[in-house]
Each structure stands twice: as structure tokens, then as C-alpha cells.
Amino acid sequence: MAALALGDSGDAGRAALDELSRNFTYGAQGGGNGSLSGAWYRRNQIHLFGVLLAILGNLVISVSLNIQKYSHLRLAHQEAPRPFFRSPLWWGGAVLMALGEAGNCAAYGLAPVTLVAPLGCMSVTGSVFISVMFLKENLRASDLLGMTLAFAGSYLLVNFAPNITQAISARTIQYYFVGWQFLIYVILEILIFCILLYFHKRKGMNHIVILLTLVALLASLTVISVKAVSGMITFSVMDKMQLTYPIFYIMFIIMIASCVFQVKFLNQATKLYNTATVVPVNHILFTTSAIIAGIIFYKEFLGAAFLTIFIYFFGCFLSFLGVFLVTRNREKEHLPQSYIDFGNIPGKQMLDKIQPDSNGLSYGTLPDGSDSTKSQSGEKKEV
């Protein structure tokens, strides 16, 4: 019986390895990375569809962010502002945000993580273009240069990212989940996360790198679980039902939990630091973490040539530099003043002080009545 059980486990292991070997088509004859031939595009139609979903999803996210921003500006201009969640315009932006994120999740199920994750730069550059066109913000020379570099980097990423094709089944995820590479990666990630969390909670260190590194560590688990869930759903629709396996629900729980804590630390960073600083740092750390997760868990660079890897990471560098230039020194929005400057009333000349000096005894009170009477009688004002 023991020998029979051992034989069954060996057959299951060989079946999993056979499935993995069928899934991986990296370096197949006639389909080299970076090729611009028609054969390359025919082989990578699914990847290109995933890229299209990722780009559209990020552009929809850009539109949603600007719609929500415009909604906040409109509410701030009102005499009696309503809460933002009562604005139909804000809810329209929230719906578009959900659609954009759904497109990104679907893209992870169709294309490699190392291809989809860096395309997040399209959300940042698209947001700048939309804000210039519709919110009438200033277009700087660094914005044009940054968008050009981001587009060039995205082109290199699409052409030189791993063209590895794998069907994400429950058996594949189980095999990856218990692999020694992923176990070592998870142990190191947990240790680094606990050390940073100790300095953040116990020592009160709120440096932006600490907060956003915590976000990036959680994001790596989010990316792994999102691709697993999306891939198993896609496999269920196209081939065989995978939703009955426990690994699907394990990955779903990891996805939800990592997203919740990721948003928590990201909100802390946005409260303490300027958005123009948080966006590029978060994009760089998130993309780097996602690429490492894709390489270790899904083995997406298996068999890739050195030149292909070099050009791929050069494309990542260009996209990072473009995001940095777009967000660098971006001016904050200044709302119009909601009060009247009495010193600038047409036809009036103001000589007395509206508010006493802060170091005086009368700070916080209005001038006395005699001065007000004199001012009103014309002794201190000239029409």
C-alpha cells in the first residue's frame, strides 16, 4: 500500500511537471523576444490583448482620478459644500475606478506580471494629459519629456518582456506555492516586513521609504494572488473548472487581505507627504516588487537571453524616469479665497489694522468702537 501511495504521488508530481512544461513556451522556435515580425504578433495575441486591457484600465483610472478631483474642486467652490460621497460626479469617478482596476486584474490573467505591472506608468502620464486638457493645468517642459520617456519605456517593455505563455490552473498554483524559491522569498519578505513594522510602530519612524516599502511588500503578494485568481477564472471559462480547488480561495483571501493593509499604509503616506512625492516612489517600489514576484513565483524570465533582460530593465528605467519627471515639483491647487480683503475695496483706502499683531494684548479681538466709529465717519478713510 505504501509503495502504491508513493507511486501515485510520483505520478501526480510528474503530471504537474508535464503540465508546466506544456504551459511554458518561452523561446519556442520562430518566436524570439523583441521580434517585430508578424509571427511574433500572432504568437502573442493573448499577451497583446492583456497589454491593451492594462493600458485601457490605467487610462480609465486616470480619468476617474481627475473626475473625482474635479468633483472636490466643485464642492469646494460652493457656499455650503456637501459631503463628497453625495456627489453623483464623485460616484461616477468611483465606478470608473472600479472598471479600471477590473481591467488590470483581467490583464494579469492574460499577460505576464512583468509585462502588466510596469504599465502602471500610463496611469500617471495619462492623468497629467487629462488634467492639462480638461482641468486647464499648466503643461511644463518636464511633463512632455516625462511622457515621452514613459511611452518609450512602455514600448520597450511590450516588445522585450517575457513572451512566456502559461495556463494558470489550480495544479500549477499549488506547485508554485510549495516551491522552495517562493518559500525562501516569503520568509525573507516576512522578516523585512516585521522589521520595518517594528520601526514604524514602536520607534515611530514614518519615513516615506519605510511606509511605501511596507506597501510594496504587500503589493507583491497582491500581484501574485491577483494573477492566480484571474488566471484560474480564465482557465475555468476556457477549459476546466478550477474554482472547486481550495487554493483558489486561499489566493482570494490573500488578495483581499493584502489589498486592505496596502491601502492602509498608502493612506498614511499620503497624509504625511505630498502626493507629488508619494506617486513616483510608490510606482518604483510597487513595480520593482511586482517584477521580483513574477520572476520568483511564476518564473517569467526562465530561459530569457541576457540582451532581452537588459533591454527590458532599461525600459523599466525609462518609465521610472518619466514618472519622476512628470510628478516633480508639481504645483498644488490653490482654491480662490472665500473672504474679502478689506484693504482692496475699490475706492477705499484702509489705514487701520483689521487684526492686531499676534504679539499684542488685543490679539484675537476687533479694534475698539471708537476707532471703528472714526473709520466709518471718514476720519481714517478717504473716499
Side-chain angles (χ1 to χ4, degrees):
M1 294 296 291
L4 183 60
L6 183 60
D8 292 339
S9 62
D11 293 338
R14 284 192 294 271
L17 291 175
D18 292 339
E19 183 178 356
L20 291 176
S21 64
R22 288 193 300 271
N23 288 339
F24 286 100
T25 59
Y26 201 111
Q29 188 175 2
N33 269 7
S35 174
L36 298 179
S37 63
W40 184 88
Y41 284 108
R42 285 193 296 271
R43 285 191 65 253
N44 296 275
Q45 287 181 357
I46 296 179
H47 288 181
L48 294 177
F49 185 64
V51 169
L52 181 62
L53 280 178
I55 293 176
L56 290 178
N58 285 306
L59 292 179
V60 170
I61 290 173
S62 302
V63 174
S64 70
L65 290 175
N66 282 277
I67 288 177
Q68 290 179 328
K69 181 178 181 180
Y70 179 68
S71 173
H72 286 296
L73 291 175
R74 285 188 58 184
L75 292 174
H77 281 81
Q78 295 178 358
E79 296 181 359
R82 298 177 299 169
F84 67 90
F85 53 83
R86 292 186 180 180
S87 171
L89 192 61
W90 185 89
W91 279 108
V95 171
L96 288 178
M97 175 73 74
L99 292 176
E101 293 295 347
N104 276 334
C105 292
Y108 279 113
L110 299 173
V113 172
T114 50
L115 177 57
V116 176
L119 293 177
C121 65
M122 302 302 295
S123 175
V124 181
T125 55
S127 179
V128 173
F129 179 78
I130 294 170
S131 63
V132 169
M133 293 296 295
F134 297 100
L135 298 182
K136 307 303 180 183
E137 294 186 1
N138 295 328
L139 180 64
R140 307 169 303 172
S142 61
D143 295 335
L144 292 175
L145 179 60
M147 287 189 287
T148 303
L149 291 176
F151 292 151
S154 300
Y155 176 80
L156 293 178
L157 289 170
V158 171
N159 281 280
F160 291 92
N163 61 351
I164 190 169
T165 302
Q166 49 181 321
I168 305 299
S169 64
R171 182 177 294 179
T172 304
I173 299 300
Q174 289 174 355
Y175 180 80
Y176 288 155
F177 199 76
V178 297
W180 64 269
Q181 300 95 333
F182 178 67
L183 293 178
I184 294 176
Y185 173 72
V186 168
I187 292 172
L188 291 176
E189 189 173 79
I190 291 175
L191 287 176
I192 296 173
F193 185 86
C194 291
I195 292 172
L196 294 178
L197 190 63
Y198 170 78
F199 282 106
H200 172 59
K201 293 294 185 180
R202 297 294 183 181
K203 301 296 183 178
M205 296 179 65
N206 293 321
H207 195 275
I208 186 172
V209 175
I210 293 179
L211 292 173
L212 295 183
T213 302
L214 291 171
V215 173
L217 293 174
L218 291 169
S220 65
L221 297 178
T222 303
V223 168
I224 290 173
S225 57
V226 165
K227 182 173 177 63
V229 171
S230 179
M232 282 188 278
I233 292 175
T234 303
F235 196 92
S236 300
V237 173
M238 301 180 64
D239 194 340
K240 183 181 178 181
M241 177 59 65
Q242 303 291 307
L243 307 186
T244 58
Y245 290 87
I247 190 66
F248 174 82
Y249 300 97
I250 292 174
M251 284 297 181
F252 186 80
I253 293 172
I254 293 174
M255 179 182 68
I256 298 299
S258 60
C259 284
V260 170
F261 288 102
Q262 184 181 338
V263 170
K264 175 184 177 182
F265 290 115
L266 186 59
N267 284 335
Q268 291 183 8
T270 54
K271 288 179 181 178
L272 296 174
Y273 298 95
N274 187 9
T275 305
T277 305
V278 173
V279 169
V281 177
N282 181 60
H283 173 70
I284 292 172
L285 293 178
F286 170 84
T287 305
T288 304
S289 178
I291 292 173
I292 294 174
I295 293 173
I296 293 177
F297 190 85
Y298 292 103
K299 302 176 177 59
E300 292 183 354
F301 274 103
L302 185 64
F306 174 77
L307 182 61
T308 298
I309 298 175
F310 176 80
I311 297 177
Y312 169 81
F313 281 106
F314 181 70
C316 291
F317 171 75
L318 290 180
S319 66
F320 292 163
L321 184 59
V323 170
F324 173 76
L325 290 176
V326 165
T327 57
R328 183 176 64 94
N329 296 331
R330 180 158 292 277
E331 296 178 355
K332 296 181 179 179
E333 291 291 332
H334 294 286
L335 297 177
Q337 295 177 348
S338 58
Y339 58 89
I340 298 175
D341 188 354
F342 288 100
N344 293 324
I345 299 177
K348 301 284 186 180
Q349 183 179 2
M350 196 66 180
L351 299 178
D352 57 348
K353 295 180 179 180
I354 296 297
Q355 180 69 35
D357 294 333
S358 60
N359 54 3
L361 296 178
S362 59
Y363 180 71
T365 60
L366 292 173
D368 55 15
S370 60
D371 291 339
S372 300
T373 305
K374 291 178 182 179
S375 298
Q376 294 175 5
S377 63
E379 294 180 9
K380 295 210 173 180
K381 288 186 181 179
E382 296 179 0
V383 179

